[in-house]
Amino acid sequence: MSGGRDVHGCRNLVLVLGDQLTESGAAFDGFDRRRDIVWMAEADEESIHVPSHRARIALFLSAMRHFRDRLRGRGLAVHYTALDDEAQTLSGALEAAVHRLGPERLVVAEPGEWRVLEALRRTADRLDRPLEVRPDTRFLCSAEQFAAHAVGRKQLRMEYFYREMRRRTGMLMEGKKPAGGRWNFDAENRGAFGREGPGPLPAPVSFEPDKVTRGVIQDVRRRFPDNPGGFDRFDWPVNGEQARAALEDFITNRLPFFGRYQDAIWLGEPWLYHSRLSAAMNLGLLDPREAIAAAERAWGEGRAPIASAEGFIRQVLGWREYVRGIYWRFMPEYLERNALGAEAPLPACYWTGETEMACLADALKQTLAYGYAHHIQRLMVTGLFALLLGVAPREVHRWYLAIYVDAVEWVELPNTLGMSQYADGGVMASKPYVATGAYIRRMSNACRGCRFDPGDAAGPDACPYTTLYWDFLMRHEKRLAGNPRMGLQLRNLGRKDTAEGKAIRRRAARVRSTLTA
Ligand code: FAD
């Protein structure tokens, strides 16, 4: 299990979790090769506490094994528990290692999940070993800095946080002013492709699975035969070199159009101009500072327009850091929130992709095939449908945490529960992101071949998104009436007469019964 140097009398056992694969990570500060040992473990529990997509499991495990080999290659002692060894849980694996190696103390950087932090604390207590939890310096905003930002604010809107981050880091700034003259080019990030479609798209760089990855895929197939998802195109970066190559490929070939088409959807085109870098950043293979600097440089050298560079930097320096701040500020009670009292089950099609709705089928099938969907598919196709249907937020959260290769709870949960389901009652979003099928028609080609009509709310061909949108407004009218940002939508609802309202409710009940049949 161990490899690298011999260590006599272990001082620190340095715990490296599956999403902490960074050699410059805080847990390695002061690492003494003669006295310290790295601990890493593959635990079944992490793949089954939510039924993980098999590509997600494979990506984590492959990246971990590559990292282990790299550390050993550099002469560090690594105690590594692989899937086939005895332990089923992280705590069990840690306990066995502590008994065997007898470290004086345990060191870890802040985990990406509250549940894991608690489990480590409990285990350390049980083993009577001090656990030192160090701030995760891969992030640009610490939990303390976020807490300071939150002081005295009634609302924690991303935009103000983002501006503060720009000022504090100096990223995309010209002195005290935002580079390009504006803080935000959001209005230029909403282009659709039009009838003719996106045309030829630059294929993202692809990393052929090496021996380590092929071994992992075999293990995952054998060990998790019933987990969802396949390996249709398993070509994600699994180490730091590949992650940097993926960044370069994105900056050169897709960043120039990233800004304009950030919100667009096109059936059968999963990547469009997106970066596919979330998993590499979340696992620790790519430093977000490097990604931000590369985008800023591309703009400075005239290789990408400001709307693209700023749009990308806003996602990484703004949204990514902001959701982490929200997570640690509100956990663990955040997980229990259900502001709209939603209790419906998640429709079975989320696990099969089988539905007549063309947009939903495309997003789900792509998700099941690759473990990937871009932001607008997650927010305005799969997320919106669950919100309109009134699915219990906990179930929606479990699905998102299971099904995307980049899913780690600190980033997944606020996006799902807060931004997409409005279950936090407005901590993240100032109003529920609800829309009819007309939004999807405007942003994609999905409605062209679909049997449903986004313009119809109650007829036999009514688009379920449109039906459920009006039904949602009727169900939550009282609750949302005090929200000034819902004014227009509720005024439009007020124009519907009683008969129309009844017909919509009838149709909504039918949509529900078809989905749960
Ligand atoms: P790009 O579109 O190229 O964006 C660039 C980068 O910006 C991403 O790689 C990511 O690091 C960051 N980013 C963009 N949007 C967000 C956001 N809202 N929050 C945090 N970072 C962001 N992202 C995850 O990394 N893991 C998740 O589990 C996850 N779950 C989500 C669930 C829902 C319901 C929604 C609406 C969004 C979720 N996101 C999640 C955010 C976003 O959808 C993904 O980061 C993005 O689709 C990843 O693809 P990409 O790397 O091609 O991103």
Side-chain angles (χ1 to χ4, degrees):
M1 269 187 274
S2 290
R5 301 173 52 91
D6 282 341
V7 177
H8 301 290
C10 175
R11 181 188 64 156
N12 292 344
L13 191 60
V14 174
L15 318 184
V16 175
L17 304 171
D19 60 346
Q20 300 183 330
L21 311 178
T22 312
E23 280 175 79
S24 57
F28 288 100
D29 287 352
F31 191 91
D32 181 341
R33 285 161 194 247
R34 288 161 309 156
R35 295 189 293 162
D36 298 339
I37 300 179
V38 175
W39 173 86
M40 298 176 75
E42 302 175 359
D44 284 20
E45 179 194 28
E46 298 307 304
S47 307
I48 53 181
H49 82 279
V50 291
S52 269
H53 192 298
R54 290 189 294 167
R56 174 176 183 252
I57 308 175
L59 178 52
F60 272 75
L61 298 190
S62 172
M64 285 173 73
R65 291 184 193 178
H66 279 94
F67 192 68
R68 169 201 63 193
D69 295 347
R70 186 178 175 91
L71 294 181
R72 284 184 178 160
R74 291 188 42 230
L76 275 69
V78 183
H79 184 281
Y80 193 94
T81 309
L83 267 187
D84 277 337
D85 295 332
E86 71 281 4
Q88 300 289 310
T89 63
L90 273 186
S91 306
L94 181 56
E95 203 162 328
V98 168
H99 286 314
R100 188 165 158 172
L101 304 167
E104 289 167 24
R105 62 177 184 159
L106 312 175
V107 175
V108 71
E110 292 161 330
E113 199 170 325
W114 188 85
R115 172 187 65 90
V116 172
L117 178 59
E118 286 302 293
L120 292 180
R121 283 198 170 125
R122 277 196 308 273
T123 311
D125 270 359
R126 206 170 49 245
L127 296 169
D128 201 19
R129 289 293 190 292
L131 172 71
E132 184 186 338
V133 182
R134 297 183 178 167
D136 191 339
T137 47
R138 293 173 305 170
F139 291 92
L140 289 99
C141 179
S142 68
E144 289 71 34
Q145 284 166 327
F146 192 84
H149 164 81
V151 169
R153 287 176 199 266
K154 275 205 188 121
Q155 293 183 322
L156 295 172
R157 294 290 165 253
M158 198 292 289
E159 183 62 27
Y160 299 109
F161 169 78
Y162 168 53
R163 289 181 193 184
E164 200 174 290
M165 290 297 287
R166 295 264 297 270
R167 285 198 194 92
R168 187 155 67 68
T169 59
M171 287 170 166
L172 207 59
M173 294 293 287
E174 282 162 350
K176 289 189 170 161
K177 297 215 168 103
R182 276 180 12 223
W183 289 108
N184 188 313
F185 290 79
D186 198 20
E188 284 153 58
N189 295 157
R190 296 182 197 141
F193 291 115
R195 278 207 79 74
E196 60 293 346
L201 289 160
V205 62
S206 186
F207 303 99
E208 185 78 6
D210 63 5
K211 200 166 158 222
V212 173
T213 304
R214 288 197 302 274
V216 167
I217 291 177
Q218 250 178 19
D219 288 351
V220 173
R221 282 191 205 280
R222 184 173 45 78
R223 193 70 172 235
F224 305 105
D226 300 325
N227 278 44
F231 296 98
D232 288 34
R233 173 193 162 128
F234 189 93
D235 63 350
W236 301 101
V238 293
N239 59 36
E241 289 75 38
Q242 291 182 348
R244 280 189 290 281
L247 170 65
E248 180 154 351
D249 170 62
F250 165 66
I251 296 286
T252 309
N253 298 314
R254 300 193 300 289
L255 179 66
F257 292 99
F258 172 85
R260 191 189 310 169
Y261 296 119
Q262 211 171 314
D263 285 3
I265 296 174
W266 199 260
L267 295 196
E269 293 293 353
W271 327 114
L272 296 169
Y273 293 102
H274 291 275
S275 70
R276 300 189 355 135
L277 292 172
S278 49
M281 280 192 270
N282 297 349
L283 263 53
L285 308 179
L286 180 67
D287 187 336
R289 292 171 185 83
E290 210 175 315
I292 294 168
E296 185 170 356
R297 214 165 33 244
W299 171 64
E301 292 167 1
R303 290 184 286 127
I306 185 69
S308 279
E310 189 281 321
F312 179 75
I313 291 171
R314 187 179 345 118
Q315 306 308 319
V316 181
L317 180 64
W319 281 108
R320 190 169 182 275
E321 297 286 333
Y322 166 78
V323 297
R324 181 170 181 268
I326 295 281
Y327 180 80
W328 286 109
R329 186 166 168 78
F330 293 102
M331 278 300 279
E333 58 87 15
Y334 197 76
L335 196 52
E336 307 302 329
R337 291 200 184 190
N338 187 358
L340 298 177
E343 297 297 346
L346 188 75
C349 65
Y350 276 69
W351 299 106
T352 63
E354 294 307 324
T355 162
E356 287 185 294
M357 287 170 268
C359 57
L360 188 59
D362 183 67
L364 290 172
K365 285 189 174 143
Q366 165 197 320
T367 296
L368 290 164
Y370 310 124
Y372 178 89
H374 65 69
H375 186 69
I376 290 299
Q377 291 175 302
R378 296 189 207 195
L379 185 67
M380 298 306 285
V381 181
T382 47
L384 174 62
F385 195 68
L387 171 64
L388 295 177
L389 204 54
V391 178
R394 190 84 186 231
E395 279 208 39
V396 187
H397 152 62
R398 281 173 57 76
W399 184 79
Y400 276 99
L401 185 59
I403 213 73
Y404 289 107
V405 291
D406 56 22
V408 186
E409 198 176 84
W410 65 264
V411 51
E412 175 278 329
L413 185 69
N415 269 303
T416 303
L417 211 105
M419 176 140 64
S420 149
Q421 302 299 300
Y422 197 70
D424 66 7
V427 171
M428 274 193 66
S430 54
K431 69 183 193 83
Y433 279 102
V434 284
T436 65
Y439 174 85
I440 293 168
R441 179 170 53 192
R442 193 164 64 247
M443 296 312 294
S444 78
N445 60 340
C447 304
R448 282 189 215 163
C450 185
R451 92 160 188 76
F452 298 112
D453 174 4
D456 185 1
D461 292 329
C463 168
Y465 280 86
T466 305
T467 307
L468 292 172
Y469 166 82
W470 293 111
D471 178 67
F472 176 94
L473 291 184
M474 286 187 272
R475 286 190 293 121
H476 296 296
E477 189 175 2
K478 273 203 194 113
R479 202 189 306 257
L480 298 174
N483 183 333
R485 296 208 56 216
M486 290 302 296
L488 180 67
Q489 283 169 298
L490 292 177
R491 275 197 300 283
N492 287 337
L493 175 68
R495 292 198 190 98
K496 298 220 174 283
D497 62 26
T498 317
E500 212 176 340
K502 272 193 183 157
I504 289 170
R505 279 188 205 275
R506 265 200 309 276
R507 176 78 191 157
R510 203 188 158 89
V511 170
R512 284 204 171 79
S513 65
T514 314
L515 281 165
T516 49

